Amino acid sequence: MTDAVGSIDMPDAEDEAPESKKKARKGGKRGKKGPLGRLALFYRQIVAELRKVVWPTRSQLTTYTTVVIVFVVIMIGLVTVIDLGFQEAVKSVFG
């Protein structure tokens, strides 16, 4: 069976790279550091990522929190009403 690229049984020539031409990657600078060096690098990367975060203002945080609480209360009410409806349906069916 063949397609536009080549045969399923015979991969393309580009896909076939001799093992001798491939070099094993050792990890570069990260591979040479010890466990404490890697931990320090990890910590520095965390701090760098946290500096990129756009933190909400107090008013935005209050708004978001209010929206979430109202949504959760509405969902609790909806689930309660559906549960009571199923309870009444089961009582009427099974006695």
Side-chain angles (χ1 to χ4, degrees), residues 49-70:
E49 287 299 319
L50 284 175
R51 286 187 181 139
K52 296 177 188 176
V53 173
V54 178
W55 298 98
T57 63
R58 183 174 292 273
S59 64
Q60 288 174 332
L61 189 62
T62 305
T63 303
Y64 298 158
T65 304
T66 305
V67 167
V68 168
I69 290 173
V70 168

Side-chain angles (χ1 to χ4, degrees), residues 7-67:
S7 171
I8 292 175
D9 297 329
M10 296 275 306
D12 293 338
E14 297 171 9
D15 294 340
E16 292 181 12
E19 294 298 323
S20 61
K21 289 187 179 181
K22 290 184 180 180
K23 292 183 179 179
R25 191 170 175 196
K26 293 285 184 177
K29 294 179 182 177
R30 280 188 249 155
K32 295 179 183 176
K33 293 182 180 178
L36 291 177
R38 288 192 306 250
L39 187 63
L41 174 66
F42 180 67
Y43 178 72
R44 283 194 306 268
Q45 289 174 344
I46 289 173
V47 171
E49 287 299 319
L50 284 175
R51 286 187 181 139
K52 296 177 188 176
V53 173
V54 178
W55 298 98
T57 63
R58 183 174 292 273
S59 64
Q60 288 174 332
L61 189 62
T62 305
T63 303
Y64 298 158
T65 304
T66 305
V67 167

Side-chain angles (χ1 to χ4, degrees), residues 64-80:
Y64 298 158
T65 304
T66 305
V67 167
V68 168
I69 290 173
V70 168
F71 177 76
V72 168
V73 168
I74 290 172
M75 292 308 295
I76 289 172
L78 181 66
V79 169
T80 302

